[in-house]
Amino acid sequence: MNLETTALPPRTLPSDQDASGRTFGEREIAHVTEALASGTLTSTKGRFVRALERTFADMLGAKHAYACSSGSAAVHCALAALDLEPGDEVITSPITDMGALAPILYQGAIPVFADVNPRSLNVTAESIAAVLSERTRAIVVTHLFGTPCDMKPIESLAKEKNLPIVEDCAQAFLATHRDRYVGTIGRIGTFSLQQGKHITTGEGGLVVTNDDALARRIFLFINKAWGYGDDNPDHYFLALNYRMSELQGAVGLAQLEKLERAVERRVLLASILTKWLEGVPGIEVPQQPLDARGVFWRYAIRLDSAIFPGGPQAFAAKLKDRSILTAPRYIQKPAFECAVIRDQRTFGTSRWPFTLARPEAVRYDRERYPGVYGGLDAVLVIPWNDRLSIGDVEYIARSIITTARLLRRVA
Ligand SMILES: Cc1ncc(COP(=O)(O)O)c(C=O)c1O
C-alpha cells in the first residue's frame, strides 16, 4: 500500500457517545414501546430483563445471568456473593475503572494490587502470585480493552490456592480464551452496559455464573436480599437495590441481537489496522494470548520512547489535529494513586476498611509496579467502533503512520 504522506482531509469518526457509533434501531424502539405500553417498568414484574438475562446466559453457555444497574454494581454483586470477611484481601489490577475497585472496599475488603504485563496491561499469574498472602480470598482479573488475560496459568494458580476468580469483562463481551467465553472461565463474570461499551443500555450490568449458590446470592444482592418467592421471605443480609429497569432491559434485549456482529466487525477492522501498522518502526500492535480472541473495545498500541521521544502525548496531540481522539496513558494514573485509595478516603474519617489492612498490602511503591508504570507510559489507546468504515480504518492507519514519520527521532 502506498503510504506517502499525502494530505488527508480530516474525517469525523463514529463516536460511541452518540448515534454515529451506536446501533439503536427499530428493535430497540419496538421493545421500549412494548414495555411502556405494558405499564410495567420494574423488572420484578416485567418480561424484558428476564429475557435479557436468559438470552445472555444462553449466548455464553452460562447457567445463570443476572442484570443489574451498572458494571460497578455487577462487580459488587460478584464480591458480595463471595461473602468476604472484613479485612480479607482481593487481588486486582490497578489499571481498571474505579467502579471495579470501590465494591471491594464497600464489602470491607482490601484491594491488593498486582502488577501488569506492560504489553497487555493485564495482570498475570506471576504478578498475582507475587502479592498472594494468607489473607487472600479472591482474584479479580480485568480483560482490559477486550484482550483476555492469559487465563490458563491464572486458573492453575487459583486452583492450587483454592481461590475464586472473578472476571471483569466490562470491556470484553464475547472474548474467548481456549474456546471458552471470558466470564465463564472463573467462578463469576461481570459485564458493563454503560454508554461506551460493545453494546449498551446507557447504564447497566450483567453477572454470570455456573454456581447455583453464588447465583442465589447474586440475585438476592440485586434485590435488597429479599427472598422473593420464598415461603417466609426476609431481608436475609445487607444489600441494596441494584435492579435494572424494564426500559433498559428492553433496549438490552435488542442490543444483544447485535452483539455477535458488532464483535466480529470490531475484530475484522482491528485485523485490517494491524496489517497497516505491523512493521512500522517504534509501534507495537496489540497481541492476544495464544488461543484467545480479543474483542477490541479499544485498539491499544505501544510506542517505543527511544524512537518517539515525545511519547504517546505527542502522538495524541498530532492525531487530535486529524480528529482522532486517542487516550495517551489510557488512565492518567494507577488506581492506587487516586485519593480514595492513596489517602484512604472511605467512610467519614475512619479510613475503614484500610485500618484492617496489613501494612504490606497497602504499600504502593513505584518499584513494585514496573509493568504498570512502563505500560502506561507507552500506551496510546485508539477509540474503536464497529461502525467504522474500511475507509475510516485506512484514515486512522495513514494518520498514525504519517505521525510516526513526523515524530520519529532523527538519528
Ligand atoms: C474494566 C471495567 N470495570 C468496571 C467498569 C464499571 O462499569 P460501569 O461504568 O458500568 O459501572 C468499567 C467501566 O465503565 C470498566 O471499564
Side-chain angles (χ1 to χ4, degrees):
M1 280 180 260
N2 177 12
L3 299 178
E4 279 314 302
T5 58
T6 47
L8 294 170
R11 276 183 177 234
T12 306
L13 299 172
S15 161
D16 57 27
Q17 299 302 300
D18 60 41
S20 66
R22 301 282 60 176
T23 56
F24 304 130
E26 284 170 16
R27 293 287 286 172
E28 284 80 358
I29 292 168
H31 283 176
V32 170
T33 306
E34 185 185 326
L36 286 171
S38 76
T40 303
L41 297 186
T42 171
S43 60
T44 56
K45 303 277 184 330
R47 84 169 185 91
F48 283 106
V49 170
R50 291 295 87 81
L52 168 69
E53 292 171 340
R54 196 60 261 150
T55 309
F56 190 59
D58 291 347
M59 202 176 234
L60 294 193
K63 198 164 172 195
H64 307 276
Y66 293 102
C68 58
S69 54
S70 68
S72 310
V75 175
H76 201 174
C77 289
L79 294 167
L82 296 177
D83 205 12
L84 305 170
E85 294 292 333
D88 281 353
E89 294 179 4
V90 176
I91 296 177
T92 185
S93 171
I95 304 184
T96 186
D97 188 87
M98 194 51 74
L101 302 173
I104 301 173
L105 295 167
Y106 273 106
Q107 289 309 107
I110 311 296
V112 174
F113 294 102
D115 197 16
V116 300
N117 176 331
R119 299 209 133 78
S120 62
L121 301 186
N122 278 338
V123 295
T124 66
E126 294 74 37
S127 72
I128 293 167
V131 292
L132 278 169
S133 85
E134 70 291 346
R135 293 226 216 148
T136 309
R137 291 290 173 270
I139 299 167
V140 179
V141 300
T142 304
H143 304 294
L144 204 72
F145 307 136
T147 301
C149 295
D150 194 0
M151 289 306 289
K152 197 171 172 226
I154 296 176
E155 275 184 282
S156 306
L157 178 69
K159 198 165 169 204
E160 184 195 322
K161 303 290 176 190
N162 195 22
L163 291 169
I165 299 173
V166 174
E167 292 178 86
D168 183 351
C169 313
Q171 306 179 1
F173 279 93
L174 302 190
T176 58
H177 189 248
R178 298 162 72 85
D179 294 329
R180 288 174 302 170
Y181 285 116
V182 302
T184 64
I185 299 171
R187 294 277 291 283
I188 308 177
T190 66
F191 296 80
S192 165
L193 290 164
Q194 176 265 338
Q195 174 77 35
K197 298 303 192 289
H198 284 79
I199 52 168
T200 184
T201 56
E203 307 289 349
L206 288 156
V207 193
V208 299
T209 186
N210 286 320
D211 182 308
D212 295 340
L214 290 174
R216 169 77 176 155
R217 281 189 64 90
I218 292 164
F219 167 80
L220 288 170
F221 195 68
I222 291 170
N223 288 288
K224 305 174 221 173
W226 179 250
Y228 283 95
D230 290 359
D231 286 344
N232 190 13
D234 195 356
H235 292 286
Y236 298 128
F237 53 83
L238 182 64
L240 297 161
N241 175 353
Y242 270 165
R243 284 193 287 265
M244 175 181 272
S245 91
E246 283 290 281
L247 290 174
Q248 292 162 300
V251 173
L253 187 60
Q255 286 278 285
L256 268 193
E257 293 169 8
K258 299 170 179 168
L259 179 57
E260 182 60 55
R261 200 189 157 276
V263 165
E264 273 168 16
R265 177 90 185 152
R266 279 174 186 253
V267 173
L268 172 78
L269 294 170
S271 73
I272 294 170
L273 183 56
T274 296
K275 281 209 180 74
W276 280 88
L277 297 184
E278 246 162 5
V280 176
I283 294 184
E284 196 176 298
V285 295
Q287 311 281 335
Q288 309 300 323
L290 199 65
D291 297 328
R293 164 168 102 155
V295 289
F296 294 93
W297 177 62
R298 296 286 185 260
Y299 188 103
I301 57 174
R302 269 167 64 80
L303 300 173
D304 183 343
S305 60
I307 295 187
F308 304 113
Q313 277 81 0
F315 237 89
K318 287 270 177 248
L319 291 173
K320 194 174 172 203
D321 293 342
R322 295 173 178 281
S323 307
I324 303 173
L325 304 177
T326 58
R329 301 185 64 79
Y330 173 50
I331 48 173
Q332 290 314 300
K333 51 193 180 188
F336 49 69
E337 288 187 13
C338 294
V340 48
I341 294 169
R342 186 196 58 212
D343 302 339
Q344 306 186 340
R345 293 205 195 137
T346 52
F347 302 98
T349 54
S350 71
R351 295 176 30 246
W352 194 89
F354 287 111
T355 43
L356 308 173
R358 291 178 304 124
E360 192 66 5
V362 290
R363 268 188 47 213
Y364 310 124
D365 317 354
R366 215 182 157 87
E367 53 280 12
R368 292 180 141 198
Y369 296 100
V372 167
Y373 287 101
L376 289 180
D377 286 348
V379 74
L380 181 70
V381 181
I382 300 162
W384 210 239
N385 197 294
D386 38 287
R387 303 280 301 272
L388 289 163
S389 67
I390 305 283
D392 292 335
V393 176
E394 180 175 343
Y395 172 75
I396 294 170
R398 284 179 178 275
S399 300
I400 292 172
I401 292 165
T402 304
T403 304
R405 285 215 184 106
L406 281 170
L407 296 181
R408 193 163 296 148
R409 182 197 296 277
V410 186

